[in-house]
Amino acid sequence: MDAMLLTSQLVNGLVLGFLFVLIAVGLSIIFGMLGLVNFAHGAFFALGAYFAWTLRPYVGDVGVLFLAPVCVFAVGVVAERLLLRPLYDKEPLLSLLLTFGLALFIEEAIRTIWGSIGHPYDAPDFLSGFVHYGPVFVTQYRLAVLGITVLLLIGIWLLLEKTRFGRIIRAGSRDGEMVNMLGVNLKRVFTLVFGLGTALAGIAGVLAAPLWSVVPSISEQAIMPAFVVVTIGGLGSLRGAIVSGLLVGISVALAIQFWPAASSAVMYLLMVAILLVRPRGLFGETWERFE
C-alpha cells in the first residue's frame, strides 16, 4: 500500500473528524445543559456557511470566520428566547418536535433567500497551495482547518473547566435548581449555552464551506454525522464527542479512498458495532447530563 496515499488520507480523516467534533460538541453542550436534542443543529451549520458566503466579499476570509458565527449565535439566541424557553417545563417531546420544525423552516428560508442552486466557495488564496512533508501530501487549507479546530477545542475545554461560566454550566447540568438558588440566572445561562452551541455549528459551517458545496442540503451532511458522533461518544460527553469524532472522520476518509461505495455506511456500521459492546457509548458510563 502506498505510504503517501495512506498517511495523506489519514490527515484528511483527521480534518474531517475535527469538523465532526466541532459540530458534535455544540450539540453535546446543548444536550448536556438543556437536556435538549437539537434537530436544528445542522440547519445552524448551514447558516454559518451561507452567512460566510454572503459576508465574504465585504469582510474577507478572516472576517467571516468571526462575523458569520456571531450571526448564527444571534439567530440561535432569538430562537431559544422566543421558541424553546416557553417549552422547558413542558413535555420533552414538544422541544424535540419544535427543533425538527425549526430545522425545516431554516432550510426553506435558505432556499428562499439564497436559492436552491449551489454557490462556489473556494479556499482563501493564501491557503490554496499544498504541503508535502515526508509521506504527507495535503492542502494548506485542510491543515489550517485542522489547526483552527484544535485551537477551538482547547478554548472550549478551558471555558468549561477554568472559568466561572464553565463551572455554572457544569453545575447547572447536574442540579439546575441548586444553581438557581445560588442567585444565578439560569434562563440567561440556557440562552448563552444554546447560542454557544449554535455558534460552534456556525464556525464549522464556515470552515466546511470550501470543502463541501454551499447548498441547502449541506445541513444533512452535518446533522447525521453529528448525531452518530454524539451517540458513539456517549450522550452529553465532551470527551466522547472528541474521540468518536476522530474515529468517524478517519473511518469515512479511509472508506472514501479504498471503498467509496461504503463511505456513507461506514460510520453507521461503526456506531452499531460500538453500541453492541457499549450501549451507552464510549464514555457514557454514568447518567450525568454533562461530564
Side-chain angles (χ1 to χ4, degrees):
M1 185 180 294
D2 190 328
M4 178 180 289
L5 183 63
L6 180 60
T7 53
S8 299
Q9 205 58 22
L10 284 174
V11 174
N12 289 335
L14 285 176
V15 174
L16 184 63
F18 273 113
L19 274 178
F20 287 160
V21 170
L22 202 55
I23 304 168
V25 164
L27 194 64
S28 193
I29 287 175
I30 291 173
F31 176 81
M33 180 71 190
L34 280 66
L36 170 68
V37 179
N38 181 21
F39 275 113
H41 205 66
F44 287 108
F45 169 87
L47 275 180
Y50 274 93
F51 280 138
W53 182 80
T54 303
L55 296 170
R56 190 184 197 187
Y58 305 101
V59 299
D61 293 306
V62 178
V64 296
L65 192 57
F66 295 96
L67 199 54
V70 170
C71 293
V72 178
F73 173 86
V75 175
V77 165
V78 171
E80 194 276 341
R81 289 289 300 273
L82 298 181
L83 302 176
L84 292 171
R85 182 176 292 185
L87 299 180
Y88 285 148
D89 56 349
K90 305 288 193 307
E91 284 289 325
L93 182 61
L94 294 178
S95 299
L96 202 68
L97 294 174
L98 179 65
T99 59
F100 182 69
L102 182 61
L104 297 178
F105 172 78
I106 292 176
E107 285 188 27
E108 287 307 314
I110 287 174
R111 286 189 171 87
T112 302
I113 297 171
W114 286 285
S116 298
I117 61 172
H119 299 287
Y121 198 112
D122 299 326
D125 291 338
F126 59 92
L127 293 173
S128 59
F130 291 87
V131 174
H132 187 190
Y133 185 77
V136 177
F137 188 74
V138 67
T139 65
Q140 292 179 0
Y141 183 73
R142 286 179 183 272
L143 279 185
V145 170
L146 186 63
I148 291 171
T149 49
V150 169
L151 289 176
L152 282 171
L153 291 173
I154 293 174
I156 294 167
W157 179 81
L158 290 174
L159 174 70
L160 293 176
E161 296 291 334
K162 305 295 181 184
T163 68
R164 181 174 182 270
F165 181 64
R167 287 192 290 273
I168 290 173
I169 290 177
R170 288 186 284 120
S173 69
R174 288 168 167 80
D175 193 340
E177 189 176 348
M178 181 271 292
V179 173
N180 227 353
M181 291 174 63
L182 292 175
V184 176
N185 188 334
L186 207 55
K187 289 182 178 178
R188 185 177 299 170
V189 175
F190 279 7
T191 302
L192 291 175
V193 167
F194 192 84
L196 173 65
T198 56
L200 290 175
I203 296 173
V206 177
L207 294 174
L211 303 175
W212 303 346
S213 298
V214 182
V215 294
S217 61
I218 192 175
S219 60
E220 298 167 10
Q221 299 177 50
I223 190 65
M224 289 314 298
F227 275 119
V228 168
V229 167
V230 170
T231 303
I232 290 176
L235 289 174
S237 170
L238 180 62
R239 178 177 48 170
I242 294 173
V243 173
S244 63
L246 297 181
L247 278 176
V248 170
I250 292 174
S251 300
V252 171
L254 292 178
I256 289 173
Q257 182 63 44
F258 300 108
W259 193 11
S263 59
S264 299
V266 68
M267 63 179 176
Y268 301 111
L269 291 174
L270 182 65
M271 180 177 69
V272 170
I274 289 176
L275 291 184
L276 283 174
V277 180
R278 297 184 65 85
R280 295 177 184 173
L282 293 173
F283 296 93
E285 298 93 344
T286 68
W287 289 109
E288 296 288 355
R289 290 171 59 192
F290 193 86
E291 292 182 37

